Amino acid sequence: MRQRTLFTKTRKEAPSDEVAKNAKLLIRAGFVDKLQAGVYSYLPLGLRVLKKIEQIIREEMNAVCGQEILMPSLHPKENWQTTGRWDTMDDLYKVSDTSGRENALGATHEEIVVPLVKQFVSSYRDLPFSVYQFQNKFRMELRAKSGILRGREFIMKDMYSFHKDETDLKNFYDKMKKSYERVFERFGIGEKTYLTFAGGGSFSKYSHEFQTVTPAGEDTIYICDICHIAINKEIIEDQNHTCPLCGNKNLRTETAVEVGNIFELKTKYSAPFDLSYKDEEGKDQPVIMGCYGIGLGRVFGTVVEAYGDDKGLVWPREIAPFAVHLVEILSANIRVREETEKFYNELIGQGIDVLWDDRDLRAGEKFADSDLIGIPFRVVVSEKTLTEGKFEIKARATGEVSMVDRDELIKFIKSVKLKVNTDACPTL
Ligand code: ATP
Ligand code: MG
């Protein structure tokens, strides 16, 4: 993409009402815009990141045979009354139309997915399966000061699985732990993200959160470095301050952001909607459920909090809006423009995403913007480059600079291999 065509512009200052680092940097760099507290628009650069996050999750959910669907946001009151949450869920947005009919704006989708699948499940032969979606959720969050980490409207990937018994749920649940580990690894936050034991509510001993260590975190976790797992502060007393896996008492305290969670729902939602199936003997049995969430904006903001520095954003290659920022140093020599364009087309032809800074700005301003936007590799083209036949390439994360020729450059950029998952669902 040619940067002069980008309708957004970078800003020197963050809006004074933003306190979170992620919001300040993302607004300055033109990735998002705030409409009101906890409600953000995603602009072209930001949407590219969001879509990459979405695609990584989609590939991993498909690999465990999840079937993608899309459910509505406008929910009939009756569905929420069936589970009792119309009255008990404090952060539920309720809207009514001119005829007085009341609806909820979806804060989560158990109330919709259970009656939906009920129409298709009758026998043990119909189980197991799982469905997932990427959908806007609405929650009346009291503290909406954390930028895109805590939205009042935000996109979640929510998956729901349906099983004939607890053993089958347990098997799938264990598979989801691994699947989530791959997802966070592919986002580039694997090392900082811990499978965390959290309170399970009344239905199981634990649920599991995935917590990414950053100073911006609202949660306190206790890490076992031997097992690379953590315990949420809220259950640490029950655990006697010891690792539930190896008994290690030497736990490290950190603040962290919950980027995802997985939950054994068992019959919590199948019971009120009477979602059941006939077993091998023809007897009615309740369907056993699990649910699995990841907040896309939560992940996006966490990456900014974890890696952003005093100059701006720093993107892991996997979710970067572009792989290369091609910075053209303006010159009276027409050949600089011609050669940059040729090189730009060549990179694109090699399947490399490029943002070409072709704006009429001074080099210093372009470099500052390049650091702010945070694309993994900055490549400078100038009159000097033409004379010497070498390009300057700088890695945003480390600041490392090297001079390479055209072929070396392409080879180097292509050598940074993206993590992929080769698992495939046999039934999709
Ligand atoms: P939290 O404790 O942070 O409020 P939660 O327990 O309410 O999270 P869930 O309802 O289980 O979260 O949602 C699943 C995932 O959705 C969370 O792990 C998180 O990644 C994301 N999420 C939850 N609330 C928000 C929000 N207000 N804005 C952005 N993402 C969110
Ligand atoms: Mg919440």
Side-chain angles (χ1 to χ4, degrees):
M1 179 177 206
R2 295 182 70 143
Q3 203 165 340
R4 68 166 69 226
T5 65
L6 195 60
F7 84 89
T8 59
K9 304 218 171 13
T10 57
R11 303 187 196 184
K12 291 250 173 340
E13 303 291 335
S16 56
D17 59 338
E18 289 288 4
V19 288
K21 169 176 160 185
N22 72 84
K24 285 184 182 169
L25 286 178
L26 289 169
I27 293 174
R28 280 189 54 213
F31 281 58
V32 305
D33 177 66
K34 179 158 88 172
L35 179 63
Q36 54 173 319
V39 185
Y40 291 85
S41 297
Y42 286 86
L43 305 175
L45 293 173
L47 191 62
R48 290 179 78 98
V49 175
L50 195 71
K51 289 289 167 193
K52 289 193 176 176
I53 293 172
E54 181 183 291
Q55 187 54 25
I56 288 172
I57 301 175
R58 176 176 290 115
E59 286 170 19
E60 296 295 340
M61 295 306 109
N62 290 349
V64 294
C65 302
Q67 299 178 42
E68 188 170 353
I69 61 174
L70 181 59
M71 294 179 277
S73 291
L74 203 56
H75 300 176
K77 178 182 182 180
E78 294 70 36
N79 292 45
W80 285 82
Q81 283 176 317
T82 302
T83 59
R85 289 206 282 188
W86 179 264
D87 296 313
T88 58
M89 197 163 184
D90 296 335
D91 50 3
L92 193 64
Y93 278 103
K94 297 169 182 172
V95 292
S96 47
D97 60 24
T98 48
S99 70
R101 198 194 325 272
E102 289 184 288
N103 279 276
L105 295 182
T108 174
H109 278 74
E110 285 85 1
E111 275 78 358
I112 308 308
V113 77
V114 176
L116 166 69
V117 306
K118 187 175 152 84
Q119 301 171 68
F120 304 101
V121 173
S122 54
S123 138
Y124 67 93
R125 290 189 202 89
D126 300 325
L127 300 167
F129 66 95
S130 58
V131 297
Y132 73 96
Q133 64 172 351
F134 296 95
Q135 230 280 10
N136 284 35
K137 303 286 190 253
F138 298 85
R139 292 186 187 178
M140 227 181 289
E141 299 281 1
L142 289 180
R143 297 165 296 156
K145 290 191 173 154
S146 309
I148 60 170
L149 290 178
R150 186 170 293 286
R152 291 189 168 132
E153 177 178 352
F154 61 96
I155 302 171
M156 194 199 287
K157 183 283 300 180
D158 43 331
M159 181 187 252
Y160 307 89
S161 69
F162 303 87
H163 309 269
K164 67 182 166 69
D165 55 32
E166 291 196 14
T167 315
D168 196 57
L169 166 63
K170 173 120 199 0
N171 289 339
F172 188 74
Y173 190 84
D174 287 343
K175 217 162 145 183
M176 288 308 291
K177 279 187 201 160
K178 300 232 159 49
S179 166
Y180 268 38
E181 273 163 17
R182 277 197 301 269
V183 167
F184 296 115
E185 179 70 34
R186 289 184 63 183
F187 291 156
I189 52 173
E191 264 171 42
K192 289 174 185 272
T193 303
Y194 293 85
L195 174 73
T196 302
F197 290 73
S202 49
F203 286 84
S204 45
K205 184 158 184 219
Y206 301 116
S207 66
H208 293 91
E209 299 167 344
F210 288 79
Q211 295 270 1
T212 307
V213 171
T214 115
E218 289 178 356
D219 288 6
T220 302
I221 60 167
Y222 296 87
I223 296 170
C224 170
D225 283 313
I226 301 169
C227 303
H228 196 87
I229 59 108
I231 312 166
N232 196 309
K233 188 179 179 186
E234 287 162 18
I235 65 152
I236 191 85
E237 298 302 335
D238 295 346
Q239 278 303 312
N240 263 332
H241 289 255
T242 53
C243 169
L245 300 186
C246 74
N248 175 14
K249 276 193 171 302
N250 199 4
L251 305 178
R252 181 161 59 86
T253 312
E254 293 279 5
T255 56
V257 175
E258 181 196 311
V259 282
N261 64 21
I262 60 178
F263 220 96
E264 294 185 23
L265 296 172
K266 299 192 177 167
T267 58
K268 187 170 179 178
Y269 297 100
S270 46
F273 285 103
D274 192 22
L275 172 64
S276 60
Y277 71 96
K278 286 212 185 317
D279 67 12
E280 284 88 334
E281 272 94 53
K283 277 211 336 247
D284 282 330
Q285 302 287 356
V287 171
I288 308 296
M289 289 177 60
C291 72
Y292 318 85
I294 298 178
L296 276 67
R298 182 70 67 88
V299 167
F300 196 139
T302 299
V303 170
V304 175
E305 296 285 348
Y307 296 115
D309 61 20
D310 55 343
K311 296 198 183 73
L313 303 164
V314 180
W315 294 109
R317 174 73 193 271
E318 314 276 338
I319 60 168
F322 294 92
V324 172
H325 202 176
L326 190 62
V327 177
E328 172 194 353
I329 308 298
L330 294 182
S331 164
N333 182 349
I334 183 79
R335 275 199 59 226
V336 174
R337 171 57 50 98
E338 287 169 2
E339 287 298 316
T340 313
E341 181 155 19
K342 227 164 91 188
F343 190 45
Y344 170 71
N345 288 327
E346 196 177 338
L347 288 170
I348 287 174
Q350 295 280 342
I352 298 167
D353 275 356
V354 189
L355 180 65
W356 168 14
D357 192 347
D358 59 345
R359 299 171 303 164
D360 299 326
L361 292 178
R362 287 183 296 110
E365 287 176 82
K366 290 192 176 189
F367 291 154
D369 272 358
S370 183
D371 282 342
L372 177 60
I373 292 170
I375 293 169
F377 299 110
R378 185 189 80 186
V379 174
V380 177
V381 189
S382 64
E383 207 155 345
K384 194 158 150 250
T385 316
L386 293 188
T387 345
E388 295 174 5
K390 297 254 188 200
F391 296 92
E392 181 199 279
I393 177 164
K394 181 179 149 197
R396 174 66 179 89
T398 60
E400 215 175 301
V401 176
S402 33
M403 298 299 292
V404 288
D405 68 26
R406 178 184 296 260
D407 292 344
E408 283 170 335
L409 185 82
I410 291 178
K411 221 162 100 193
F412 171 71
I413 291 165
K414 289 180 85 172
S415 76
V416 184
K417 286 269 175 289
L418 298 185
K419 299 176 195 91
V420 290
N421 179 7
T422 49
D423 295 358
C425 169
T427 57
L428 281 185

